[in-house]
Amino acid sequence: MATSRISLTRFLIERQRDKALINADLRLLIETVARACKAISHAVNKGALAGNLGSAGTDNVQGEVQKKLDVLSNEILLEANEWGGNLAALASEEMEDPHPIPTHFPKGEYLLLFDPLDGSSNIDVNVSVGTIFSVLRCPKAATGGGYCEADEKAFLQPGTQQIAAGFAVYGPSTMLVLTVGDGTHGFTLDREMGSFVLTHPDIRIPEDTAEFAINMSNMRRWEPAVKRYIDECLAGKTGVRGKDFNMRWVASMVSDVYRILTRGGIFMYPRDDKNTAGRLRLMYEANPMSFIIEQAGGASTDGNGRLLDVKPEGLHQRVAVILGSKNEVERVTSYHKG
Ligand code: AFP
């Protein structure tokens, strides 16, 4: 690997040593999650060869059919993060309750939340999927009061309290996108070296776009503000926007968000009369993605206000998500207010 290339480890060491942005425990946490994502990437890439496709024959707490890789990815993340002494508890889309650190391991001040395999309905059709994670601090530890218990209320903090967030996308290349609060940075997995290499430092999202991402099959259910915005995009040059728009919908949030980070765009999963609270999960999908998007100069709202300000009431609560290029998100917000 060319010496000019910066590995994830060097990136984190520099933020620990030079910027005091993170401490050793958080560095270990991020490196451990990244290592788990390498293992998940390997399992995803093996696919049918390892008998990893298809359903596990079980449902998760959301009542959704679990894929074999959902269960495997969750197990990989649990096993990787139990022993480090840096976590008080973990929470996952695939588990109803928080997972305590086994008593034979030391605990730490951090809380890790994750969607182990986002977009899993795409696995069997060989479309990119990914892993999303979010890091909070124990409420008591934040006030020096020691480590919290593995109960739901310790996790119920607004997205503004996140210490770090990231996602992996298992695509043509495996990418890790990360923020620790000083911008958003992209790393590419070098499979020969087995390490993530900094290839997209300081990602900035264009403030304008001509590309939207939404599941159009829900159109009849949308709120008027969303309907107005999409109708104007579809009218293109002939309408008030005066330019034509393109549409993308991968149905893997990690892929749509990564595209928006690289070339701009707006991602919308609004509430509707079927998904009355929205479809995406606040704590381990919307919050980490919103932190990443804001750190890259974009914006994220639930239609009423800044998404990161939403006060959580439940670990698996759903939320409406509109995020991406700042000027477009602000336009949709103004339509909601109007
Ligand atoms: P799955 O993990 O169940 O496939 O859901 C993926 C997701 O949470 C998010 O990644 C997509 O953007 C969204 O749901 C796709 O939803 P639709 O299947 O309704 O388009």
Side-chain angles (χ1 to χ4, degrees):
M1 181 171 63
T3 51
S4 59
R5 287 272 178 89
I6 293 176
S7 69
L8 175 64
T9 299
R10 176 176 163 187
F11 175 90
L12 293 172
I13 288 277
E14 288 174 347
R15 269 148 189 76
Q16 180 184 345
R17 180 187 59 214
D18 304 348
K19 300 189 173 187
L21 260 175
I22 62 174
N23 61 25
D25 272 353
L26 182 56
R27 176 161 63 84
L28 172 63
L29 174 50
I30 295 169
E31 286 183 320
T32 304
V33 171
R35 197 174 306 118
C37 289
K38 284 191 277 190
I40 296 169
S41 173
H42 179 73
V44 167
N45 289 160
K46 294 288 278 186
L49 294 175
N52 285 343
L53 300 186
S55 297
T58 51
D59 289 356
N60 66 12
V61 62
Q62 330 280 340
E64 296 161 343
V65 173
Q66 289 180 304
K67 300 285 189 179
K68 288 179 188 169
L69 277 170
D70 279 323
V71 176
L72 177 60
S73 302
N74 193 57
E75 286 164 2
I76 289 171
L77 281 157
L78 291 180
E79 195 177 316
N81 285 287
E82 285 184 330
W83 51 266
N86 47 5
L87 282 174
L90 304 95
S92 165
E93 179 189 61
E94 302 303 329
M95 302 184 300
E96 180 153 10
D97 300 314
H99 181 83
I101 296 300
T103 49
H104 56 278
F105 289 130
K107 289 173 65 170
E109 67 174 318
Y110 293 110
L111 298 168
L112 177 65
L113 304 93
F114 49 81
D115 177 358
L117 204 67
D118 174 66
S120 45
S121 57
N122 278 323
I123 293 169
D124 295 349
V125 296
N126 200 33
V127 171
S128 301
V129 293
T131 299
I132 308 172
F133 68 93
S134 171
V135 183
L136 293 169
R137 188 178 274 121
C138 278
K140 282 197 294 187
T143 56
Y147 305 136
C148 48
E149 293 310 315
D151 57 38
E152 184 178 32
K153 59 179 182 298
F155 287 86
L156 300 185
Q157 304 175 40
T160 48
Q161 296 302 304
Q162 291 174 99
I163 307 294
F167 68 92
V169 50
Y170 312 119
S173 61
T174 286
M175 298 294 303
L176 178 73
V177 177
L178 174 69
T179 184
V180 293
D182 73 327
T184 291
H185 311 278
F187 301 79
T188 304
L189 177 61
D190 178 338
R191 291 191 184 281
E192 287 156 1
M193 300 292 287
S195 59
F196 281 106
V197 177
L198 180 64
T199 50
H200 297 72
D202 295 313
I203 295 172
R204 303 303 294 170
I205 301 176
E207 293 196 347
D208 295 300
T209 184
E211 191 163 69
F212 66 90
I214 195 166
N215 182 338
M216 292 293 284
S217 69
N218 295 322
M219 180 181 278
R220 68 184 183 281
R221 302 189 175 99
W222 294 336
E223 298 169 308
V226 173
K227 184 81 171 51
R228 173 184 173 190
Y229 178 78
I230 296 297
D231 283 346
E232 291 176 355
C233 290
L234 296 174
K237 283 199 183 83
T238 67
V240 295
R241 300 303 309 269
K243 64 181 181 180
D244 288 342
F245 278 71
N246 191 22
M247 196 204 104
R248 287 284 183 277
W249 186 250
V250 183
S252 286
M253 190 182 193
V254 290
S255 299
D256 284 314
V257 169
Y258 187 74
R259 184 190 60 255
I260 288 168
L261 285 166
T262 52
R263 70 185 193 205
I266 184 168
F267 172 97
M268 304 172 81
Y269 214 116
R271 60 178 65 81
D272 59 41
D273 59 22
K274 179 178 81 173
N275 302 283
T276 51
R279 171 185 160 90
L280 303 182
R281 275 62 60 148
L282 172 65
M283 298 305 294
Y284 38 79
E285 288 177 327
N287 271 343
M289 289 307 206
S290 298
F291 187 18
I292 288 162
I293 287 287
E294 286 198 0
Q295 285 289 314
S300 179
T301 175
D302 66 344
N304 300 319
R306 187 186 181 202
L307 198 142
L308 290 179
D309 289 335
V310 172
K311 303 251 179 300
E313 289 159 13
L315 191 56
H316 300 290
Q317 83 179 57
R318 297 175 190 266
V319 69
V321 181
I322 297 164
L323 59 76
S325 292
K326 195 183 182 80
N327 294 340
E328 292 302 310
V329 173
E330 287 174 358
R331 176 183 286 265
V332 177
T333 304
S334 69
Y335 291 179
H336 271 100
K337 290 189 168 30

